Amino acid sequence: MNELVLRRQELVENPTARVPVCLCLDTSGSMAGPPIEQLNRGLQEFYAAIKADDIARYSAEIAIVTFGGTASQVTDFCSIDRQAVHGLAADGGTPMGEAVDIALQLLEQRKKEYKDAGVDYFQPWLILMTDGQPTSPWEPVADRTAKLADAKKLSVFAIGVGDGADLTVLAKFSPRRSPVRLDGLKFGAFFEWLSRSVTAVSNSTPGQEVPLPPPTGWTTV
Amino acid sequence: MPCQDAASVACSGLPVVAALADGLGSAARSEAGAHIAVATAVQLLASRFTALAMLPPQGIAEALVAEVTARIDEAARDAGEERRHFASTLMFVATDGVTLVAGSLGDGVVSRQGTDGRSRVLFRPKRGEHANETFPVTSIGAAAHMQVTVEPLGGALGFALFSDGAAEALYQRKRDEIAPAVDTLLGWLELATPTEVSAALANSLGGVVSEKTTDDCSIALLRRVELASVSPDKRELRAVMLAANPRSSVHLRNRLLALEFWERAASGVPEGMSPSTYRRHAAWLAKHFVREPGRS
């Protein structure tokens, strides 16, 4: 029956559910040289991989907070198409606590914006990377982060870079997922895994448990 | 992965019942769980409508969840699986023409079409904070999360139940509005038989609706249709409606015999039918039908 045809104009549009990801990256002086160069390259590849996926490019929203001397927000959450990431420079101490505090504030603010705009969102992700130890108080914010992770309000991925990274400190931020140590300077492999993981979540449907790709090729055994 | 949604209706008599369930992608046997959920809900609401309609909404939720999970537990035992592997949502609408009993558990949407012909939200999605968190019928405290209403049917013309996949195209979350497409779909039930509408729905869900989502898309429709509004050339639809709610096979046979006689405006009564029986059927037909031009 020809009259029983639905037209696209009779349907509604809803925004794609978002996956907010905050990268909290150590840019202290000890990251100078090959580590920061590899980190910058890995970041570029990460953005390129997300942009290459039809769904993830509209779903993933990335913010970057760095801690090198001071903790600062480098990029805010927005569509990845409108973001430009310039090279990060290494300098100063390791104020990890302040940086994670900024990251948590950004994530909370973004969730509020989603709610106000009627946008669905997946569990936010916090990626914490460091090659050293915090040089300022970090315990209170680690407690807050751990509580969010325990309540499944936040997925925390803590990665140590090099032998100087203190995984016991990172473990305080990530009680549900043990911290791992990056194999050498394989930032590229890590960000490739991260883009595949974000893409997997972006492409999932409600009620679906999303198995992440195994973290192989970038962690030490 | 097969479609994990399931739908079921009971419309051969009153009450009329429709149910739809969306199996959770994370649960291994959710397709089976969705089928059990809709079959159980339809059976329970059809067989115990009057008793259920006298319960408070929470009592209805508890009765439905208890019955569905009992059936799921049986299936789980047979399959050597756990209850949670059969996780699915559940929506239902049941009416005896006077009272409406409807409910929703999970992230589906139920809409009601008012006398102005516009559908509005009856139940909006209920889920956790995050997009992939919902409340399946197998979850602890499921009945407490089920939204239920018992109220007079009033002038409601129709209902639509749709899974979250279909909701991406049929429900605008921020404005809390139902898409015009839902009224179009309900209108189809005045133009064609349920079989034809089902085929057309399958085309639409597999076409323009599924373009909006990667999830399964399912929809169930209930529409009050007045015989008088069905044009004479829709003979198959008229036949379906004539056959609706037959009290007996004799009643149905007499109804069809009376139609043939009445449409010709013939004098007397059909062979084998008493004058009083024909008068009753003729009065019903006159109330619900427009006599086809040229037949009298």
Side-chain angles (χ1 to χ4, degrees), chain A residues 33-126:
Chain A
I36 201 74
E37 290 168 13
Q38 293 297 321
L39 174 60
N40 280 322
R41 191 170 300 151
L43 271 177
Q44 297 297 339
E45 289 167 1
F46 173 59
Y47 274 78
I50 294 289
K51 282 182 184 176
D53 185 87
D54 284 349
I55 295 175
R57 72 181 301 164
Y58 300 112
S59 179
E61 295 199 325
I62 320 293
I64 299 178
V65 176
T66 58
F67 47 106
T70 57
S72 59
Q73 175 188 331
V74 176
T75 63
D76 199 354
F77 292 109
C78 70
S79 167
I80 204 160
D81 280 333
R82 289 186 277 133
Q83 278 186 333
V85 183
H86 305 293
L88 304 175
D91 189 28
T94 313
M96 187 194 301
E98 289 95 316
V100 174
D101 187 52
I102 292 172
L104 296 184
Q105 288 178 43
L106 285 174
L107 287 167
E108 275 309 305
Q109 177 61 30
R110 194 56 174 169
K111 286 200 296 184
K112 185 177 180 306
E113 289 165 0
Y114 291 149
K115 286 173 190 164
D116 291 346
V119 176
D120 285 349
Y121 57 94
F122 292 92
Q123 193 179 47
W125 288 19
L126 173 67

Side-chain angles (χ1 to χ4, degrees), chain B residues 56-108:
Chain B
Q58 189 55 35
I60 295 171
E62 285 166 6
L64 274 163
V65 169
E67 193 71 22
V68 170
T69 51
R71 303 273 181 91
I72 284 176
D73 286 346
E74 285 173 23
R77 270 196 303 276
D78 291 345
E81 304 254 10
E82 294 174 43
R83 179 194 285 187
R84 63 188 175 89
H85 294 150
F86 290 74
S88 91
T89 67
L90 176 63
M91 291 161 270
F92 58 88
V93 169
T95 180
D96 60 357
V98 177
T99 302
L100 167 70
V101 176
S104 177
L105 173 64
D107 53 8

Side-chain angles (χ1 to χ4, degrees), chain B residues 73-198:
Chain B
D73 286 346
E74 285 173 23
R77 270 196 303 276
D78 291 345
E81 304 254 10
E82 294 174 43
R83 179 194 285 187
R84 63 188 175 89
H85 294 150
F86 290 74
S88 91
T89 67
L90 176 63
M91 291 161 270
F92 58 88
V93 169
T95 180
D96 60 357
V98 177
T99 302
L100 167 70
V101 176
S104 177
L105 173 64
D107 53 8
V109 176
V110 180
S111 65
R112 169 170 45 195
Q113 190 180 44
T115 49
D116 60 356
R118 285 281 294 126
S119 284
R120 294 176 180 82
V121 177
L122 180 60
F123 296 118
R124 53 191 56 82
K126 190 173 180 184
R127 57 164 63 134
E129 179 187 353
H130 304 123
N132 52 346
E133 297 169 351
T134 190
F135 302 112
V137 72
T138 50
S139 60
I140 295 168
H145 291 293
M146 183 181 274
Q147 309 172 79
V148 177
T149 185
V150 184
E151 58 187 277
L153 178 64
L157 293 177
F159 297 89
L161 305 84
F162 33 101
S163 63
D164 64 318
E168 282 297 308
L170 300 175
Y171 169 65
Q172 213 293 323
R173 286 192 292 269
K174 187 179 180 189
R175 295 195 302 274
D176 194 29
E177 284 178 0
I178 301 297
V182 172
D183 295 322
T184 300
L185 296 175
L186 287 167
W188 289 358
L189 290 169
E190 282 200 344
L191 302 172
T193 64
T195 306
E196 290 168 333
V197 172
S198 291

Side-chain angles (χ1 to χ4, degrees), chain B residues 240-289:
Chain B
V240 169
M241 296 176 70
L242 280 165
N245 308 325
R247 287 175 217 142
S248 66
S249 59
V250 174
H251 182 266
L252 176 59
R253 189 197 66 200
N254 284 345
R255 172 68 52 83
L256 295 171
L257 275 174
L259 174 66
E260 284 297 308
F261 209 77
W262 177 81
E263 280 198 314
R264 286 189 277 113
S267 57
V269 297
E271 192 177 338
M273 192 183 299
S274 72
S276 60
T277 299
Y278 177 64
R279 272 199 303 276
R280 274 201 311 277
H281 283 295
W284 186 91
L285 290 163
K287 182 180 172 189
H288 292 92
F289 273 88

